[in-house]
């Protein structure tokens, strides 16, 4: 771990919410929260910046963070708004997600941080950009912190507009998206690796993004760096496959951990694939067993 970022925690900003299932189950999540949870399990002590309501769900978030040992120092409480929730319904056996509107995480204020130099990376996704208040906070932190940015694009209609792209990704150090999202943003075919390279080059030129992580489900992932041809990452087949919830968040967590610790990118990509496969052997996006997060890079 030779990189100067190795001892600095990442700043993770965005939604924390509960997935509510028809049978009454509630599962704590949200992509930024999943990434923060995983990073903490790996020993990287992220600073989670989000907002909860003054309600039982909000208290459950804080209890879960405390039990896991995560800092809630930059968690905000919005008295007038409920905590985040996603209503999950099954239609013809397939889950349909209703990400409920006007929730506490739509009103995240800038954190009480005077000096951002103590952090390694700024991570955020695109869903939190749906509200003007939180979008303004994201833009403000980008400007004030000047931290290298890891942007995890997650296009979830109707909570995405093409006009957001520049504000979200311009000048980012890393942009993670899947090949369908890459195709949507570039209007270019992404059916072959060569076409993916061309689409990446188009986005890089348009938005001055240094590096890309393109995930392609069962076809693995592609790390397109600014200084090389890119690295092919094979998928790790889970055995057994329980569910794929949180696999992408798991991949992003390990990629970010590897960047913070300054590890070789090939090692990091392979570790991210193994961990994503491991997540698929587990119910849900995260795990409360510390051993689940041991020896991620070996």
């Amino acid at each position: 771990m030779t990189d100067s970022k190795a001892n600095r925690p990442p700043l993770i900003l965005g939604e924390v919410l509960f997935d509510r299932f028809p049978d009454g189950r509630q599962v704590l999540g949200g992509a930024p929260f999943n990434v923060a949870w995983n990073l903490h399990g790996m020993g990287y002590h992220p600073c989670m910046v989000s907002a909860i309501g003054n309600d039982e769900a909000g208290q459950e978030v804080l209890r879960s963070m405390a039990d896991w040992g995560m800092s809630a120092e930059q968690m905000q409480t919005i008295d007038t708004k409920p905590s985040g929730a996603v209503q999950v319904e099954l239609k013809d056996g397939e889950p349909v997600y209703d990400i409920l509107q006007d929730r506490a995480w739509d009103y995240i204020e800038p954190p009480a941080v005077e000096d951002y130099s103590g952090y390694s990376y700024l991570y955020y996704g695109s869903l939190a950009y749906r509200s003007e208040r939180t979008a303004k906070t994201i833009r403000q932190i980008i400007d004030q912190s000047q931290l290298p940015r890891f942007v995890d694009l997650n296009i979830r209609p109707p909570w995405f507009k093409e006009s957001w792209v520049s504000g979200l990704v311009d000048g980012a150090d890393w942009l993670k998206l899947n090949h369908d999202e890459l195709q949507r943003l570039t209007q270019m075919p992404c059916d072959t690796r060569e076409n993916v390279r061309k689409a990446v080059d188009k986005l890089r030129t348009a938005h001055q993004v240094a590096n890309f992580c393109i995930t392609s489900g069962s076809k693995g992932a592609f790390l397109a760096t600014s200084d090389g041809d890119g690295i092919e990452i094979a998928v790790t087949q889970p055995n057994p496959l329980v569910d794929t919830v949180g696999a992408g968040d798991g991949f992003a967590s390990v990629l970010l951990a590897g960047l913070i610790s300054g590890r070789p990118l090939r090692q990091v990509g392979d570790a991210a694939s193994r961990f994503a496969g491991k997540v698929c052997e587990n119910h849900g996006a995260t795990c409360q067993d510390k051993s689940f997060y041991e020896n991620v890079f070996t």
Side-chain angles (χ1 to χ4, degrees):
M1 296 190 183
T2 59
D3 192 279
S4 61
K5 301 183 186 71
N7 296 317
R8 287 184 271 156
L11 195 68
I12 312 292
L13 189 148
E15 66 274 11
V16 56
L17 48 80
F18 283 92
D19 289 325
R20 296 175 177 170
F21 292 88
D23 61 3
R25 285 186 304 129
Q26 289 198 143
V27 179
L28 182 58
F33 188 80
N34 291 340
V35 168
W37 183 281
N38 290 337
L39 283 167
H40 186 82
M42 297 174 211
Y44 288 84
H45 308 295
C47 177
M48 183 72 204
V49 181
S50 189
I52 54 174
N54 186 11
D55 50 23
E56 177 53 37
Q59 291 304 307
E60 179 60 30
V61 171
L62 297 180
R63 280 194 295 269
S64 296
M65 292 178 73
D67 289 346
W68 192 232
M70 289 176 69
S71 170
E73 182 180 353
Q74 299 298 342
M75 293 292 291
Q76 303 163 21
T77 300
I78 311 296
D79 288 334
T80 58
K81 303 295 177 183
S83 296
V86 175
Q87 202 67 45
V88 184
E89 295 183 8
L90 296 178
K91 293 187 177 180
D92 299 323
E94 294 296 321
V96 178
Y97 303 96
D98 180 13
I99 305 172
L100 301 182
Q101 301 183 55
D102 203 31
R103 295 285 156 154
W105 57 267
D106 288 311
Y107 297 89
I108 301 172
E109 297 281 346
V113 175
E114 293 183 2
D115 182 7
Y116 286 98
S117 64
Y119 297 98
S120 53
Y121 273 85
L122 170 61
Y123 167 101
Y124 57 87
S126 51
L127 182 57
Y129 216 73
R130 73 178 186 174
S131 75
E132 181 50 40
R133 173 62 266 182
T134 300
K136 184 178 179 181
T137 292
I138 291 172
R139 293 192 298 268
Q140 184 171 329
I141 297 175
I142 290 170
D143 291 340
Q144 291 181 351
S145 73
Q146 295 298 301
L147 287 169
R149 286 180 286 139
F150 187 109
V151 184
D152 197 347
L153 211 62
N154 196 343
I155 298 178
R156 292 197 172 182
W159 308 121
F160 186 80
K161 296 180 181 178
E162 307 291 340
S163 60
W164 298 353
V165 175
S166 287
L168 282 164
V169 311
D170 280 6
D173 195 60
W174 277 88
L175 175 60
K176 177 182 172 289
L177 64 168
N178 64 40
H179 66 278
D180 291 331
E181 291 162 341
L182 180 63
Q183 181 170 314
R184 171 170 173 169
L185 291 182
T186 60
Q187 297 297 302
M188 295 173 65
C190 295
D191 52 337
T192 67
R193 188 58 79 212
E194 183 57 34
N195 284 342
V196 167
R197 290 178 193 270
K198 291 177 180 177
V200 163
D201 286 343
K202 180 178 179 179
L203 266 191
R204 177 178 283 131
T205 300
H207 298 288
Q208 297 81 54
V209 175
N211 308 289
F212 290 79
C213 172
I214 310 299
T215 57
S216 301
S218 61
K219 296 180 181 178
F222 179 61
L223 305 180
T225 59
S226 58
D227 57 356
D229 293 331
I231 299 173
E232 296 276 359
I233 305 297
V235 70
T236 300
Q237 296 292 347
N239 183 26
L241 172 61
V242 176
D243 66 49
T244 60
V245 175
D249 299 338
F251 194 103
S253 305
V254 176
L255 180 53
L256 186 52
L259 295 171
I260 293 168
S261 57
R263 299 176 187 273
L265 200 54
R266 160 61 68 184
Q267 179 194 17
V268 172
D270 289 342
S273 175
R274 290 195 303 271
F275 188 76
K278 190 176 179 181
V279 169
C280 293
E281 298 172 358
N282 183 55
H283 277 293
T286 59
C287 184
Q288 295 181 341
D289 182 354
K290 286 282 188 181
S291 67
F292 187 81
Y293 296 97
E294 293 176 352
N295 304 316
V296 168
F297 290 104
T298 57

